Amino acid sequence: MCIRDRWGLDSRTAAEALQAELGKGVKLAVIGVGGENRVRYACVMTGTRHAAGRTGLGAVMGSKNLKAIAVHRRTSEVSRDFRSLEEEAVRRLVRDYRERIRTAPRYETYARFSNSAFVKWADEAGILATRNYQHVRFEGAERIDGERLMDYVTRPRSCHRCPVHCKAEVEIRSGRYGGVRGERPDIEPIVNLGAKCGLDDPEALLYLYNLAGTLGIDAISTGGVLAFAMELYERGLLSTEDTDGIELTWGNAEAMEVTMKRIARREGFGDVLAEGVRLAAHIIGRGAKAYAHHANGLELTAYDPRGG
């Protein structure tokens, strides 16, 4: 198979094409255009929806001209040897562990909402990262909380053999994002693309989260980078001359979408933001470093450390 046939495809399209070619027994790890262009927070996507994100593993694959890794599942001596273990003892341990999970205090909450239903809790606790950590409360928290996102859930999903089933497929049936299908985000992407960027539109949030996976860039760092740029724009440290004409105002979903695509392709100002907030602040100058929140170069999470 020639890499040129897959290079340039988004992660989902590439995975679907490879799956059709190689068959159902193959499991895939794929990068999107963000990995190809070595965005510093590019992901490796598995199952078209799960991301090995945050630390740029997708960029490592891209640097090696490696679009995907395919693993074929087959019966082997190893699997037969595994079945020869003391099966009843193993089954007993599995049953016990599964029961402990199902009787845990927050099992029902996680089984239905994952941790997405803790957005309102974080807001009320005063630890919700809002507008690039300028605030710890967000007026739109309830609109993007996991309970509200249940309106778009079509069915629950689970990681392999997990009894919690905390994942969920979503669909937007009408409006600007009508027809979009994907996966429900957990609390970290919700806050980073939502409250941290001043975005309280649940449909835009679902779309942007799944767009990040399609582009193969980490949703958490992407939200942190966008929020950083938005605060610089608000303070006059960036203008539309710097941002390729894009008005990076708080909650501007269209501007977020365009900028995310430019980041993944390293086009214009997107090439700067593709470096992450620490290096982007160094490139921009003008005091931008004061608003670049990170730990050793890694963008921060959903919670305001001061509240913690």
Side-chain angles (χ1 to χ4, degrees), residues 8-216:
L9 296 180
D10 65 66
S11 65
R12 182 165 296 188
T13 303
E16 289 172 350
L18 288 167
Q19 200 77 67
E21 181 175 337
L22 300 175
K24 292 184 178 180
V26 169
K27 300 296 182 182
L28 297 165
V30 185
I31 62 170
V33 292
E36 293 177 13
N37 293 311
R38 307 181 197 183
V39 175
R40 286 184 181 266
Y41 40 94
C43 301
V44 179
M45 305 299 298
T46 60
T48 73
R49 288 177 175 149
H50 290 200
R54 309 264 38 222
T55 54
L57 291 175
V60 175
M61 284 180 62
S63 72
K64 301 177 185 300
N65 292 330
L66 179 61
K67 181 67 176 179
I69 299 170
V71 179
H72 193 278
R73 181 182 61 198
R74 63 180 181 177
T75 303
S76 65
E77 293 300 322
V78 173
S79 63
R80 283 196 289 272
D81 289 344
F82 180 77
R83 287 197 297 271
S84 72
L85 296 173
E86 297 180 46
E87 292 188 2
E88 181 53 37
V90 172
R91 284 197 293 267
R92 188 165 56 248
L93 286 170
V94 170
R95 283 195 302 268
D96 175 66
Y97 191 57
R98 186 171 58 224
E99 188 61 23
R100 288 168 62 189
I101 291 173
R102 286 177 170 166
T103 57
R106 290 184 174 177
Y107 171 79
E108 295 295 337
T109 298
Y110 275 89
R112 187 177 183 198
F113 303 112
S114 182
N115 60 10
S116 68
F118 293 109
V119 176
K120 286 194 296 184
W121 168 84
D123 183 65
E124 292 165 0
I127 60 173
L128 188 66
T130 301
R131 294 185 176 86
N132 202 36
Y133 302 95
Q134 292 186 59
H135 310 286
V136 295
R137 301 289 305 270
F138 181 47
E139 67 279 4
E142 188 169 356
R143 294 197 65 201
I144 58 174
D145 185 78
E147 290 192 27
R148 173 70 176 83
L149 298 183
M150 287 298 292
D151 293 345
Y152 305 96
V153 171
T154 55
R155 69 167 181 163
R157 290 181 63 88
S158 175
C159 295
H160 183 64
R161 298 283 185 174
C162 177
V164 181
H165 296 87
C166 72
K167 301 295 182 184
E169 291 183 358
V170 295
E171 181 181 2
I172 302 173
R173 297 177 179 84
S174 61
R176 178 182 175 186
Y177 303 104
V180 170
R181 295 181 179 181
E183 186 173 279
R184 176 184 62 195
D186 287 336
I187 189 171
E188 292 281 358
I190 290 174
V191 175
N192 279 271
L193 290 169
K196 194 181 287 186
C197 292
L199 178 68
D200 66 355
D201 180 344
E203 295 184 357
L205 176 62
L206 291 174
Y207 170 73
L208 292 172
Y209 168 69
N210 284 282
L211 175 63
T214 300
L215 295 171

Side-chain angles (χ1 to χ4, degrees), residues 228-229 231-233 235-243 269 272 280-292:
F228 160 71
E231 182 167 6
L232 296 185
Y233 188 84
R235 294 180 180 276
L237 300 179
L238 288 176
S239 69
T240 51
E241 292 183 5
D242 302 302
T243 64
F269 187 58
V272 175
H282 177 73
I283 295 167
I284 294 167
R286 311 171 200 171
K289 182 179 178 181
Y291 310 104

